Amino acid sequence: MRGVRAPAILLGGGVSDRPRPFRFWKPGPPPAPEPQRLAPEEGLPVALVGRHRVRRLSQAALLLALLWMPALPPAASRLLSLPRALMSMASGSPPAQPSPTSDSGYVAGSVSAAFVTCPNEKVAKEIARAVVEKRLAACVNLIPQITSIYEWKGKIEEDSEVLMMIKTPSSLVPALTDFVRSVHPYEVAEVISLPVEQGNSPYLRWVHQVTGSASDSSTVPP
């Protein structure tokens, strides 16, 4: 502004009217980086030791997995076969490939025990005699006075019946079932069978022989 004197600038304890020149600030050189510290047990920088250890652990886990792989297939196959074995036990079906029992010559499952219920002893005896005469069975046992409780056409029924236990070759079970259905007084006759896995070998051979299903036609008394 005109008529106003510029303020004086102090220089070294004195007063000067000369303006002080402006100087730009220049940054100094960057500080020298600190040397990396090495892990004495690894010979690597401390920042890399963690990753190196993780890599070593991963390699050890891979080696352990490779060592265990040969033992996995047998264990897996046993686990996969377990449901099939349980289902076979629950259904009672004969094995797909029966094998003979030791020192007997009997093929497991080749003889079955069939069960039929009848309304009274008279009907049971008639059916039992007929299946034996037709060589559809070797022997029939009659178990009287059993109590059966079941549902039939929406009602809970309770009856006194006679149970027939029929021993016959498994190959004759379909023919036995057809015959019982044709002569049984029930609308839906009960005919179920279970395979015999093992037992008295002479008796099991006799079952085959008396029904004509064995090559030897001679019979042995039961």
Side-chain angles (χ1 to χ4, degrees), residues 39-169:
E41 72 277 7
E42 300 290 347
L44 294 175
V46 175
L48 298 179
V49 169
R51 284 180 289 177
H52 183 66
R53 289 175 177 170
V54 170
R55 188 180 299 110
R56 289 205 315 176
L57 290 175
S58 301
Q59 293 173 353
L62 179 59
L63 178 60
L64 183 61
L66 292 175
L67 292 176
W68 276 94
M69 282 182 66
L72 291 178
S77 63
R78 288 194 296 269
L79 290 176
L80 292 176
S81 63
L82 181 60
R84 292 194 295 269
L86 293 177
M87 289 297 294
S88 177
M89 293 172 59
S91 62
S93 58
Q97 295 180 352
S99 58
T101 57
S102 59
D103 302 330
S104 67
Y106 172 70
V107 178
S110 61
V111 171
S112 291
F115 298 90
V116 179
T117 53
C118 296
N120 52 59
E121 190 173 355
K122 180 177 181 296
V123 173
K125 285 183 177 181
E126 291 176 354
I127 296 177
R129 185 173 295 275
V131 297
V132 173
E133 289 176 351
K134 293 179 178 294
R135 294 200 172 188
L136 294 175
C139 177
V140 181
N141 303 115
L142 301 183
I143 306 174
Q145 297 180 353
I146 66 168
T147 301
S148 300
I149 301 176
Y150 56 96
E151 181 180 346
W152 178 249
K153 296 183 178 180
K155 294 177 59 178
I156 303 299
E157 303 286 350
E158 180 176 340
D159 292 325
S160 177
E161 295 182 303
V162 177
L163 178 64
M164 303 171 58
M165 185 169 64
I166 307 171
K167 276 80 71 176
T168 183

Side-chain angles (χ1 to χ4, degrees), residues 163-186:
L163 178 64
M164 303 171 58
M165 185 169 64
I166 307 171
K167 276 80 71 176
T168 183
S170 299
S171 59
L172 294 180
V173 170
L176 173 67
T177 302
D178 292 340
F179 175 76
V180 171
R181 290 177 58 190
S182 67
V183 298
H184 205 285
Y186 286 170

